[in-house]
Amino acid sequence: MDNLLIRGSNFCTTNSLLTATGAETVHDTTVLLNFSIDGKAYTKSGTNADQATPTTDYNTGVAFPVLVGGASVSGAYGNGCVVVWAYNSSGTVKCMMGEHQALDSAGNFKISPQFPKIPDDVCPFAYQVLKSGATASATAIVFGTSNWNATGYTNVIVNVLVMPSRPQVS
């Protein structure tokens, strides 16, 4: 029976070790990544340092929307979301962003964020929990174009082999 459960699956067999930090907008993966799309095996070469982060959502084809922070809005604490990172069959990174959710005064999600739709032609290798908090700009935080260390902007990366049932946000 297990054979039927994994038939046609999309999954990784190695950890990508995705990193995205500092005063830059690029990302890094530091190991050879073996992955499957619809059961077919693919490999993404090892060290991929300072790769351009996508600026358009793979689901919509348009630029990622501003992740509104609370810095210039009285009583606002900002917003957060989840972005899923994936490779297509040619090894090109694609990102999909979930719906924005409001943060509370402690910087926690008021409503748990959800994963975005993940197309069948990509294999997720990580997801990133993004928060544009109370001190972040209300107009300037945009995934793929804002520096990872922008004021009030935090991100936590979770490398995955398969997608969990829900994002782990704590």
Side-chain angles (χ1 to χ4, degrees):
M1 284 305 263
D2 286 344
N3 193 18
L4 296 176
L5 294 175
I6 63 169
R7 182 177 293 165
S9 295
N10 296 3
F11 59 89
C12 297
T13 60
T14 50
N15 184 338
S16 69
L17 300 178
L18 175 67
T19 59
T21 60
E24 57 186 11
T25 61
V26 296
H27 68 277
D28 307 300
T29 55
T30 56
V31 296
L32 178 78
L33 184 67
N34 297 309
F35 61 99
S36 166
I37 298 176
D38 195 24
K40 185 174 180 183
Y42 296 94
T43 300
K44 177 66 177 173
S45 64
T47 302
N48 292 291
D50 291 339
Q51 299 296 302
T53 299
T55 57
T56 57
D57 190 311
Y58 187 55
N59 283 328
T60 65
V62 298
F64 290 108
V66 172
L67 189 58
V68 178
S72 62
V73 180
S74 179
Y77 301 114
N79 291 277
C81 67
V82 175
V83 171
V84 173
W85 293 71
Y87 283 123
N88 66 10
S89 61
S90 66
T92 303
V93 170
K94 302 295 181 183
C95 290
M96 292 77 55
M97 181 179 279
E99 290 184 29
H100 294 187
Q101 299 294 337
L103 302 176
D104 64 19
S105 61
N108 298 315
F109 286 98
K110 289 183 178 181
I111 298 173
S112 296
Q114 301 297 310
F115 287 122
K117 177 185 175 295
I118 302 169
D120 291 338
D121 63 347
V122 295
C123 178
F125 62 89
Y127 68 90
Q128 192 172 21
V129 179
L130 306 173
K131 293 181 180 180
S132 185
T135 61
S137 168
T139 60
I141 304 295
V142 179
F143 179 82
T145 61
S146 297
N147 284 346
W148 298 116
N149 68 350
T151 300
Y153 184 43
T154 61
N155 74 88
V156 175
I157 294 172
V158 179
N159 292 288
V160 298
L161 300 179
V162 297
M163 292 301 293
S165 59
R166 60 184 169 72
Q168 310 294 310
V169 296
S170 57

